[in-house]
Amino acid sequence: MDLDVVNMFVIAGGTLALPILAFVASFLLWPSALIKIYYWYWRRTLGMQVCYVYHEDYQFCYSFRGRPGHKPSILMLHGFSAHKDMWLSVVKFLPKNLHLVCVDMPGHEGTTRSSLDDLSIDGQVKRIHQFVECLKLNKKPFHLIGTSMGGHVAGVYAAYYPSDVCSLSLVCPAGLQYSTDNQFIQRLKELQDSAAMEKIPLIPSTPEEMSEMLQLCSYVRFKVPQQILQGLVDVRIPHNNFYRKLFLEIVSEKSRYSLHQNMDKIKVPTQIIWGKQDQVLDVSGADMLAKSIANCQVELLENCGHSVVMERPRKTAKLIVDFLASVHNTSNNKKLD
């Protein structure tokens, strides 16, 4: 604990003693509860409201800020085993006059988890389309953003439903077929061959495995206290069986290369953002996409790994805003010609 924080506790003393002791006890004993409170507080601070919408008996949970206007709405799709709140670090730097929607992907957080659900990339695309229809978000074409698994879904969505989307941002998306495997993919294939898929690196079950996953996904080496690592694991463990089922589905032959198979069908202006030091999905994927998508801009970030949204939120937000401005202005100019 920093000396300044300790001094603050000492000065506060008296009437603050009990609340402070309660906070410290919560941090040590129930770190997972504190993590949930942290996200609640951050959503509240940024003006993000949580809502639910239903397609028949299927529940979607999402957060939003703003209302549809003359600028395109923005729909944000998170990555594997994450949730809608992963976007908060980027939302912090986005203009408040934009209509933002962050949805929990199928089976994640507040969105329905069903043993009957189709968790393939195609299945997830169809579910997200149901969500879009429920909100009538496609009443006017919107900007779609996805990262990692969410980028995989976003890219295929743009190919399947071109009239829904006016532009697209893919942040280190999955779903591409590389000529050579990086170390992470090689390790996964070794696990598959040895039938040891319960040890998937992206599904940690101990604080040590959580630390290893953070190091795998981030170029920046975060110094995370043991209690927070434990809290992050505690939050995830009840969902690990689902994550394992989902992971095996999205790396199956049916889903693994869905984006690759559909990237030439993406016709909207597209932005690719990728960390140059990505150890999970090789940055060379950006060049593959640029060669297949006609109107495509590529932004490669130095000293950045797979967790672009966590590592470079301000830069990511600026790139998205600048891209939207260029696409929007170009569209307006064409209308005036």
Side-chain angles (χ1 to χ4, degrees):
M1 190 176 291
D2 290 341
L3 185 59
D4 290 341
V5 177
V6 175
N7 287 338
M8 180 186 72
F9 285 173
V10 173
I11 293 170
T15 57
L16 290 180
L18 286 176
I20 290 170
L21 285 172
F23 176 84
V24 172
S26 296
F27 177 71
L28 295 174
L29 301 176
W30 304 290
S32 59
L34 270 186
I35 290 169
K36 292 179 181 179
I37 293 170
Y38 166 78
Y39 282 124
W40 171 84
Y41 176 78
W42 206 1
R43 284 197 304 269
R44 186 178 177 87
T45 300
L46 295 175
M48 297 292 287
Q49 300 179 54
V50 175
C51 285
Y52 298 87
V53 70
Y54 295 85
H55 174 80
E56 298 175 351
D57 60 347
Y58 193 90
Q59 172 182 281
F60 293 97
C61 179
Y62 67 101
S63 60
F64 76 96
R65 186 174 75 186
R67 291 286 186 274
H70 69 281
K71 294 183 178 180
S73 297
I74 299 177
L75 174 59
M76 311 171 92
L77 308 182
H78 65 73
F80 171 77
S81 78
H83 47 75
K84 60 188 175 299
D85 293 331
M86 71 157 287
W87 291 107
L88 292 175
S89 56
V90 173
V91 168
K92 177 182 177 181
F93 299 107
L94 291 174
K96 291 187 177 179
N97 63 345
L98 293 175
H99 177 222
L100 308 176
V101 179
C102 305
V103 64
D104 284 326
M105 297 292 282
H108 290 74
E109 197 77 4
T111 291
T112 293
R113 179 179 300 171
S114 168
S115 59
L116 302 177
D117 216 9
D118 179 3
L119 298 174
S120 68
I121 294 301
D122 275 15
Q124 292 191 61
V125 168
K126 289 172 185 173
R127 281 295 187 197
I128 295 302
H129 185 61
Q130 291 170 357
F131 171 72
V132 166
E133 295 267 294
C134 287
L135 285 191
K136 294 182 171 57
L137 199 61
N138 55 353
K139 190 174 182 180
K140 176 183 174 182
F142 58 88
H143 181 69
L144 182 57
I145 304 175
T147 183
S148 197
M149 181 192 77
H152 194 169
V153 173
V156 177
Y157 187 104
Y160 286 5
Y161 303 103
S163 62
D164 283 9
V165 180
C166 64
S167 49
L168 179 68
S169 290
L170 301 179
V171 184
C172 49
L176 297 175
Q177 186 170 7
Y178 296 87
S179 56
T180 57
D181 295 330
N182 64 12
Q183 288 185 353
F184 173 71
I185 300 300
Q186 289 174 13
R187 184 179 173 191
L188 283 182
K189 289 184 174 179
E190 289 170 3
L191 289 173
Q192 282 181 308
D193 292 341
S194 63
M197 288 305 282
E198 71 277 0
K199 297 180 180 179
I200 298 168
L202 297 179
I203 308 178
S205 56
T206 67
E208 292 73 24
E209 290 175 356
M210 174 59 70
S211 180
E212 289 173 7
M213 187 189 80
L214 293 176
Q215 290 183 31
L216 171 68
C217 294
S218 304
Y219 175 79
V220 177
R221 291 294 177 254
F222 297 103
K223 293 183 179 179
V224 184
Q226 183 73 9
Q227 289 87 351
I228 294 297
L229 289 172
Q230 184 64 60
L232 292 170
V233 169
D234 290 345
V235 168
R236 296 172 65 99
I237 281 178
H239 309 289
N240 275 356
N241 285 338
F242 165 75
Y243 294 152
R244 194 168 289 108
K245 178 183 177 183
L246 171 62
F247 187 84
L248 292 175
E249 184 62 53
I250 61 178
V251 299
S252 69
E253 188 175 344
K254 177 182 177 182
S255 291
R256 179 174 291 184
Y257 304 127
S258 290
L259 178 56
H260 200 104
Q261 293 158 1
N262 289 282
M263 59 186 176
D264 60 339
K265 299 173 189 171
I266 298 174
K267 304 303 180 185
V268 295
T270 300
Q271 174 186 51
I272 310 298
I273 303 174
W274 217 305
K276 281 191 174 182
Q277 284 73 36
D278 193 333
Q279 299 178 76
V280 177
L281 299 169
D282 195 84
V283 66
S284 60
D287 188 52
M288 269 190 264
L289 289 164
K291 288 177 178 176
S292 295
I293 302 172
N295 189 352
C296 187
Q297 296 181 21
V298 174
E299 305 286 350
L300 304 182
L301 305 186
E302 290 282 359
N303 302 323
C304 184
H306 186 64
S307 300
V308 173
V309 173
M310 281 177 52
E311 296 181 72
R312 304 291 289 279
R314 185 193 295 268
K315 180 67 174 177
T316 301
K318 184 179 186 307
L319 290 172
I320 291 167
V321 170
D322 290 348
F323 176 68
L324 278 173
S326 67
V327 171
H328 187 67
N329 290 339
T330 299
S331 298
N332 284 344
N333 291 338
K334 286 181 179 178
K335 289 177 183 177
L336 294 173
D337 289 343

